[in-house]
Amino acid sequence: MLLLSNLICIHIIHPGGTPIRGALQIEHSEEPDQGKYECVATNNDGTRYSAPANLYVRELREVRRVPPRFSIPPTDNEIMPGGSVNITCVAVGSPMPYVKWMLGAEDLTPEDDMPIGRNVLELTDVRQSANYTCVAMSTLGVIEAVAQITVK
């Protein structure tokens, strides 16, 4: 069981006792908990992401709107010349924000294919250091976070 905040409990449920497939149960959720959830598994062979699941919370009282915020901001990385790296950026809000990547003033995410909530930038054959900017935007605002990729 994970405790995300004072009011949210998450239980990992294994049907029939088998640890291979599970479910996520969130109790006492509130509108700020709304967003995309996914399972991330990491080991020596790399990182795998489950298909994302959207949590929509409807309250009986007035609907609150929440500006975008990064739930998983991008991280800096050091790589060897010619190396590869994936940079993940996850943002939440209500409404859920679109997420794109930029290199300077250049958009790296096609405007007509901009994902909602999560965007993974896959860099291959990297030869020079650069700063990549993750931009999350909704009708309530635009936020940015920078990942520095350093070639050593």
Side-chain angles (χ1 to χ4, degrees):
M1 181 171 68
L2 285 151
L3 186 62
L4 290 184
S5 71
N6 292 338
L7 299 177
I8 303 172
C9 290
I10 293 183
H11 302 275
I12 308 296
I13 302 169
H14 302 288
T18 170
I20 295 172
R21 294 202 178 269
L24 184 64
Q25 178 181 335
I26 303 175
E27 298 176 355
H28 309 294
S29 62
E30 294 181 353
E31 194 168 348
D33 308 317
Q34 181 168 287
K36 282 192 178 184
Y37 287 79
E38 61 187 345
C39 180
V40 180
T42 303
N43 64 19
N44 291 339
D45 294 328
T47 301
R48 298 287 297 209
Y49 297 89
S50 70
N54 287 311
L55 171 65
Y56 298 100
V57 179
R58 303 233 184 248
E59 296 188 22
L60 296 177
R61 54 193 148 112
E62 181 181 327
V63 175
R64 289 179 295 177
R65 297 170 56 80
V66 180
R69 69 172 175 83
F70 291 112
S71 58
I72 303 177
T75 57
D76 297 341
N77 286 276
E78 291 184 357
I79 60 174
M80 300 295 288
S84 300
V85 65
N86 290 345
I87 316 169
T88 300
C89 183
V90 180
V92 295
S94 179
M96 284 292 288
Y98 288 94
V99 180
K100 71 177 182 177
W101 284 101
M102 297 185 72
L103 177 58
E106 177 188 0
D107 274 335
L108 301 178
T109 305
E111 180 107 7
D112 59 345
D113 193 28
M114 200 177 307
I116 295 174
R118 175 177 172 263
N119 196 337
V120 178
L121 180 63
E122 298 176 5
L123 300 174
T124 58
D125 193 28
V126 179
R127 297 288 175 188
Q128 60 184 346
S129 300
N131 291 332
Y132 293 86
T133 304
C134 176
V135 180
M137 63 195 94
S138 77
T139 55
L140 296 179
V142 178
I143 56 173
E144 298 181 355
V146 175
Q148 183 177 26
I149 305 303
T150 306
V151 176
K152 291 264 179 175

Short mmCIF file of all heavy atoms in Angstrom, two decimals, residues 3 22 39 45 49 53 56 85 98-99:
data_model
loop_
_atom_site.label_atom_id
_atom_site.label_comp_id
_atom_site.label_asym_id
_atom_site.label_seq_id
_atom_site.Cartn_x
_atom_site.Cartn_y
_atom_site.Cartn_z
N LEU A 3 1.02 5.52 0.29
CA LEU A 3 0.28 6.68 0.76
C LEU A 3 0.77 7.88 -0.03
O LEU A 3 1.92 8.29 0.11
CB LEU A 3 0.51 6.88 2.26
CG LEU A 3 -0.31 7.97 2.92
CD1 LEU A 3 -1.79 7.65 2.81
CD2 LEU A 3 0.08 8.09 4.38
N GLY A 22 -1.90 -6.97 -12.16
CA GLY A 22 -2.47 -6.35 -10.97
C GLY A 22 -3.39 -5.21 -11.35
O GLY A 22 -3.61 -4.93 -12.51
N CYS A 39 2.31 2.41 -14.50
CA CYS A 39 3.28 1.61 -13.76
C CYS A 39 4.62 1.75 -14.46
O CYS A 39 4.70 1.63 -15.69
CB CYS A 39 2.83 0.15 -13.73
SG CYS A 39 3.98 -0.92 -12.84
N ASP A 45 18.14 -3.94 -17.17
CA ASP A 45 17.89 -3.99 -18.61
C ASP A 45 17.20 -2.74 -19.14
O ASP A 45 17.02 -2.59 -20.34
CB ASP A 45 17.06 -5.23 -18.97
CG ASP A 45 17.81 -6.51 -18.70
OD1 ASP A 45 19.05 -6.52 -18.83
OD2 ASP A 45 17.16 -7.50 -18.35
N TYR A 49 7.22 1.06 -19.37
CA TYR A 49 6.04 1.78 -18.91
C TYR A 49 4.79 1.00 -19.31
O TYR A 49 4.69 0.50 -20.43
CB TYR A 49 5.96 3.17 -19.55
CG TYR A 49 7.10 4.07 -19.18
CD1 TYR A 49 8.27 4.10 -19.90
CD2 TYR A 49 6.99 4.91 -18.07
CE1 TYR A 49 9.32 4.92 -19.56
CE2 TYR A 49 8.04 5.74 -17.72
CZ TYR A 49 9.19 5.75 -18.46
OH TYR A 49 10.22 6.58 -18.11
N ALA A 53 -3.28 5.05 -17.66
CA ALA A 53 -4.72 5.04 -17.34
C ALA A 53 -5.08 6.42 -16.82
O ALA A 53 -4.35 7.01 -16.02
CB ALA A 53 -5.02 3.98 -16.28
N TYR A 56 -10.32 10.25 -13.76
CA TYR A 56 -11.17 11.43 -13.77
C TYR A 56 -11.98 11.42 -12.48
O TYR A 56 -12.60 10.41 -12.16
CB TYR A 56 -12.11 11.42 -14.97
CG TYR A 56 -11.40 11.46 -16.28
CD1 TYR A 56 -11.21 10.31 -17.02
CD2 TYR A 56 -10.88 12.64 -16.78
CE1 TYR A 56 -10.54 10.33 -18.23
CE2 TYR A 56 -10.21 12.69 -17.98
CZ TYR A 56 -10.04 11.53 -18.71
OH TYR A 56 -9.37 11.56 -19.91
N VAL A 85 19.47 8.34 -25.14
CA VAL A 85 18.80 8.57 -23.86
C VAL A 85 17.33 8.90 -24.13
O VAL A 85 17.01 9.50 -25.16
CB VAL A 85 19.50 9.70 -23.05
CG1 VAL A 85 19.38 11.04 -23.75
CG2 VAL A 85 18.97 9.76 -21.63
N TYR A 98 -1.42 19.54 -22.48
CA TYR A 98 -0.63 18.99 -23.57
C TYR A 98 0.83 19.12 -23.18
O TYR A 98 1.22 20.08 -22.50
CB TYR A 98 -0.89 19.75 -24.87
CG TYR A 98 -2.25 19.47 -25.46
CD1 TYR A 98 -3.33 20.29 -25.18
CD2 TYR A 98 -2.45 18.38 -26.30
CE1 TYR A 98 -4.59 20.03 -25.72
CE2 TYR A 98 -3.69 18.11 -26.84
CZ TYR A 98 -4.76 18.94 -26.55
OH TYR A 98 -5.99 18.68 -27.07
N VAL A 99 1.68 18.18 -23.65
CA VAL A 99 3.10 18.21 -23.28
C VAL A 99 3.94 18.09 -24.55
O VAL A 99 3.70 17.21 -25.39
CB VAL A 99 3.45 17.05 -22.32
CG1 VAL A 99 4.92 17.09 -21.94
CG2 VAL A 99 2.59 17.12 -21.05
#
